């Protein structure tokens, strides 16, 4: 195969609607979908490509006559098919139309027969709370296509973090949605399926052009605005705010130049200040009932409780929920993001070592022992300011979860509002029913008739497990929707020979927690 030089990042031109329609027609006809590409090259090559190993996919695609294989070669693998082959794969648009859109050019910059893509255009399939989606997402050429490291102004396509955020975003109908740091526009596209109006912002004008192209291909209208964070929407309020912000904690001291400041992942602030600043200020753009959801990193500093530190970011009077999903030590963190930018020891050993040490030194300067990754949800209560009754929770959930999680987040926020301000008597005065996916597990020590540990386990959503004592386990077991909580407490108090008021005071906060987590459901 020819030796490929790194692709120069090329701004997307102003696109012609007729050419966009032609491209959409051809992409649909060629079955250039996630499954279509897999079918064209086979499972072995497709699985290797998922691992960022491109050689099997390139060999299989070159040996295939399918249009999907040709488009895979052109847009994802950095290959240079002939103009005739491209014309055959895209018979309506043809290579000439791709060049007019700024998506391809003559290989080598000349007038030769080979064509080379100037962007990555990949099929995207997903399922959110609104159902299945199939789009095509344009972004800058990948590391595979470049056969080299990424430039710092790289516009990222759909990565793992993007998919995570799309899966956990609430998908009930919303009037207005704001996507901060939209990048290629994937979150804005998802939002367009359940919102009247979507505003997408980014500090990078090239990213906004890609977002505009992707919206045009999907037949979606977006309000695209250039600027940092909330500056482009000052004075406006939104019903939903989503963001996959540039949360990567990037070195600022000596050696930082070897790391590079990538626009898509580096917000220009020290430590985790980008995420903390976003969380502290997002309430300014939330309408009553408005929800904000974002991904982020946060530092675990020696001598500080990470939960208390992150909880201090949550705005007063607003509900806030932080879930930590992963934890990396400083070395693991540096290795992850060095590899993300394409900097490896075999490509540039001296620069790699300098950048690695810069990361370790930067984290050590703040006594960082580990870095957490997870998601943050902030909600302005529908009734206005919750004041002292605002709900804040910071926790770690590292087990397997059931996607999509948007409905779970909606359910939790709805339950928080439902039980907000209820006294213990009001809470227990309701009738409760155990959710259908909840099971109970009992663990006995050998030879002992009574269990030493009882666990309530939710089968769906976040897969929560709650360790229960005898009183709580019995309360949950009796919650079949027939009796009120107070009636159950009275019966249990008599059975256990304890004071009913004391038992109610002990169980009420636990019942509130189970209701918020969806293990107990109120019966009308």
């Amino acid at each position: 195969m020819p030796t490929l030089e790194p692709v120069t990042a090329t701004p997307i031109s102003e696109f012609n609607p007729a050419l966009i329609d032609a491209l959409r027609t051809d992409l649909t006809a060629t079955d250039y979908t996630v499954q279509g590409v897999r079918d064209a090259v086979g499972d072995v090559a497709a699985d290797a490509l998922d691992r960022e190993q491109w050689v099997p996919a390139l060999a299989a695609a070159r040996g295939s006559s399918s249009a999907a294989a040709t488009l895979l070669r052109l847009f994802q693998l950095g290959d240079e098919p002939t103009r005739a082959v491209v014309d055959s794969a895209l018979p309506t648009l043809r290579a000439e139309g791709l060049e007019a859109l700024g998506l391809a050019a003559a290989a080598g910059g000349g007038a030769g027969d080979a064509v080379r893509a100037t962007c990555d255009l990949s099929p995207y399939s997903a399922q959110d709370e609104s159902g299945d989606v199939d789009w095509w997402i344009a972004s800058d050429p990948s590391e595979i296509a470049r056969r080299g490291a990424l430039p710092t102004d790289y516009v990222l396509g759909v990565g793992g973090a993007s998919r995570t955020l799309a899966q956990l975003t609430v998908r009930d109908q919303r009037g207005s949605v704001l996507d901060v740091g939209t990048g290629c526009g994937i979150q804005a596209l998802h939002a367009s399926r359940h919102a009247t109006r979507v505003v997408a912002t980014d500090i990078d004008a090239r990213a906004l052009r890609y977002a505009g192209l992707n919206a045009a291909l999907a037949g979606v209208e977006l309000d695209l605005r250039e600027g940092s964070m909330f500056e482009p929407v000052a004075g406006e309020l939104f019903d939903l705010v989503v963001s996959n912000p540039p949360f990567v904690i990037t070195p600022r001291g000596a050696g930082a130049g070897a790391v590079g400041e990538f626009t898509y992942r580096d917000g220009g602030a020290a430590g985790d200040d980008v995420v903390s600043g976003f969380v502290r200020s997002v309430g300014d753009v939330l309408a009553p009932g408005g929800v904000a959801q974002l991904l982020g990193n946060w530092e675990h500093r020696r001598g500080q409780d990470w939960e208390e530190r992150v909880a201090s970011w949550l705005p007063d009077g607003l509900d806030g929920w932080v879930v930590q999903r992963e934890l990396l030590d400083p070395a693991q963190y540096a290795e992850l993001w060095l590899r993300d930018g394409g900097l490896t020891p075999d490509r540039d050993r001296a620069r790699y070592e300098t950048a690695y040490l810069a990361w370790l030194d930067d984290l050590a300067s703040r006594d960082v022992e580990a870095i957490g990754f997870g998601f943050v949800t902030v909600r302005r209560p529908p009734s206005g300011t919750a004041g002292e009754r605002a709900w804040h929770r910071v926790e770690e959930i590292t087990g397997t979860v059931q996607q999509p999680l948007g409905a779970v987040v909606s359910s939790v926020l709805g339950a928080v509002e439902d039980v907000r301000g209820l006294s213990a008597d009001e809470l227990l005065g309701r009738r409760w029913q155990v959710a259908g996916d909840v099971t109970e597990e009992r663990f006995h020590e050998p030879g002992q008739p009574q269990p030493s540990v009882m666990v309530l386990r939710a089968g769906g959503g976040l897969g929560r497990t709650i360790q229960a004592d005898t009183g709580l386990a019995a309360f949950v077991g009796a919650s079949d929707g027939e009796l009120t909580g107070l009636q159950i407490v009275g019966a249990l108090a008599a059975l256990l020979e304890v004071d009913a008021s004391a038992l109610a005071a002990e169980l009420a906060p636990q019942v509130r927690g189970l209701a918020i987590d969806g293990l107990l459901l109120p019966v009308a």
Side-chain angles (χ1 to χ4, degrees), residues 422-430 432 484-486 500-501 504-505 508 512:
L422 293 182
S423 67
D425 284 347
E426 290 171 330
L427 186 74
L428 295 176
R430 290 183 169 185
W432 296 95
T484 68
L486 288 174
S501 297
R512 191 184 302 273

Side-chain angles (χ1 to χ4, degrees), residues 1 164 187 270 389:
M1 64 175 292
T164 296
Q187 306 304 327
R389 295 198 302 268

Side-chain angles (χ1 to χ4, degrees), residues 233-500:
V233 295
E236 298 181 54
L237 298 178
F238 295 87
D239 302 307
L240 175 65
V241 177
V242 294
S243 184
N244 181 14
F247 57 71
V248 177
I249 298 168
T250 307
R252 299 294 167 204
V259 175
E261 295 186 9
F262 290 82
T263 305
Y264 73 91
R265 73 184 196 187
D266 179 16
D272 49 25
D273 286 354
V274 167
V275 176
S276 66
F278 189 107
V279 174
R280 293 178 195 275
S281 58
V282 70
D284 295 340
V285 297
L286 286 179
V291 175
Q293 295 180 274
L294 68 146
L295 304 179
N297 280 163
W298 39 82
E299 298 178 342
H300 289 225
R301 297 178 180 175
R302 187 175 296 106
Q304 298 184 41
D305 184 286
W306 79 269
E307 295 181 355
E308 291 182 2
R309 181 171 180 270
V310 175
S312 70
W313 302 349
L314 299 174
D316 293 338
L318 305 187
D319 296 324
W321 183 19
V322 180
V323 176
Q324 180 169 282
R325 295 284 292 143
E326 298 178 34
L327 188 67
L328 298 178
D329 65 38
Q332 291 172 318
Y333 193 79
E335 291 161 15
L336 170 67
W337 294 110
L338 286 168
R339 183 65 190 85
D340 175 82
L343 182 54
T344 58
D346 57 303
R347 288 176 177 167
D348 189 335
R349 185 175 186 85
R351 182 185 167 200
Y352 178 83
E353 292 179 353
T354 299
Y356 201 142
L357 289 173
W359 233 305
L360 297 180
D361 289 345
D362 180 73
L363 294 172
S365 71
R366 294 184 299 279
D367 291 328
V368 175
E369 297 179 310
I371 301 91
F373 169 81
F375 63 86
V376 182
T377 302
V378 176
R379 191 263 300 271
R380 182 175 294 284
S383 56
T385 302
E388 295 180 356
R389 295 198 302 268
W391 175 73
H392 286 182
R393 174 190 279 178
V394 179
E395 60 184 332
E396 182 176 42
I397 302 176
T398 57
T400 301
V401 300
Q402 188 178 76
Q403 299 286 10
L405 280 175
V408 175
V409 175
S410 291
S411 177
V412 168
L413 295 178
V416 167
E417 189 64 23
D418 182 51
V419 301
R420 193 194 308 276
L422 293 182
S423 67
D425 284 347
E426 290 171 330
L427 186 74
L428 295 176
R430 290 183 169 185
R431 291 180 295 147
W432 296 95
Q433 185 171 17
V434 183
D437 65 342
V438 175
T439 57
E440 181 185 289
E441 300 175 11
R442 298 189 173 211
F443 299 87
H444 294 255
E445 294 181 3
Q448 297 300 315
Q450 298 299 322
S452 57
V453 177
M454 290 175 284
V455 174
L456 302 174
R457 186 182 303 276
L462 292 168
R464 289 193 179 279
T465 58
I466 308 295
Q467 188 166 327
D469 59 17
T470 301
L472 181 61
F475 183 95
V476 171
S479 296
D480 59 3
E482 297 296 325
L483 301 175
T484 68
L486 288 174
Q487 289 172 321
I488 295 174
V489 168
L492 288 177
L495 180 65
L496 299 174
E497 298 181 345
V498 298
D499 180 73

Side-chain angles (χ1 to χ4, degrees), residues 89-104:
L90 301 172
T92 308
L93 183 67
R94 304 175 67 82
E96 182 180 4
L98 274 181
E99 292 169 342
L101 282 171
L103 306 184

Side-chain angles (χ1 to χ4, degrees), residues 35 37-39 41-51:
Q35 187 59 49
V37 168
R38 176 170 286 271
D39 292 342
V41 300
D43 290 340
V44 172
D47 289 343
L49 189 58
D50 288 341
R51 301 191 302 270

